[in-house]
Amino acid sequence: MNIQLQKIDEEPKGTVVAFHDPRVCQEKLEEKKPTEVLVHVRFFPNADVRSIDYCPKHLSKNDWFFHLCYSAPHSYQTFMGGRGLFRIERSEFESIVNDATPAAAAE
């Protein structure tokens, strides 16, 4: 049995693509731009919201949660351990945030 080893300094022969090549990884990242916004929610044992992402400053955490529930009811996923996740399309999320602003409420 004759085994040939390549030196580490040499370039691989043939058409070999390294999966860890930074150029390939960067191209893949540029191809996949996120189209969804993920809003993570955590609850206290009494069902009050402990933390929620993207909460506007003028709303309480519970109010922001209820606003998302009414605006995107089919986007919510429940997880064990008092956690949940809203998976909302970016354009829909932007309109939900605009609806929640005080200027939109005044009109």
Side-chain angles (χ1 to χ4, degrees), residues 2 6 9 19-20 39 46-47 55 58 64 72-73 81 99-100 106:
N2 187 6
Q6 276 185 314
D9 297 348
F19 290 109
H20 63 277
V39 180
N46 68 354
C55 183
H58 67 280
W64 178 236
D99 290 345

Side-chain angles (χ1 to χ4, degrees), residues 3-81:
I3 299 175
Q4 295 180 351
L5 299 175
Q6 276 185 314
K7 292 182 184 176
I8 295 176
D9 297 348
E10 290 181 8
E11 288 291 321
K13 295 177 181 157
T15 55
V16 176
V17 176
F19 290 109
H20 63 277
D21 185 0
R23 293 169 294 181
V24 173
C25 293
Q26 185 62 31
E27 290 171 6
K28 293 293 180 188
L29 286 174
E30 289 172 1
E31 287 175 10
K32 289 189 170 188
K33 299 218 178 192
T35 59
E36 294 180 329
V37 176
L38 302 179
V39 180
H40 297 270
V41 186
R42 291 188 181 271
F43 297 94
F44 287 113
N46 68 354
D48 285 338
V49 178
R50 179 193 313 176
S51 67
I52 186 166
D53 294 338
Y54 305 108
C55 183
K57 294 189 188 281
H58 67 280
L59 290 177
S60 71
K61 295 173 187 174
N62 284 333
D63 289 340
W64 178 236
F65 173 74
F66 290 129
H67 182 72
L68 289 174
C69 284
Y70 290 119
S71 300
H74 301 293
S75 301
Y76 185 69
Q77 295 176 297
T78 303
F79 296 112
M80 62 187 279

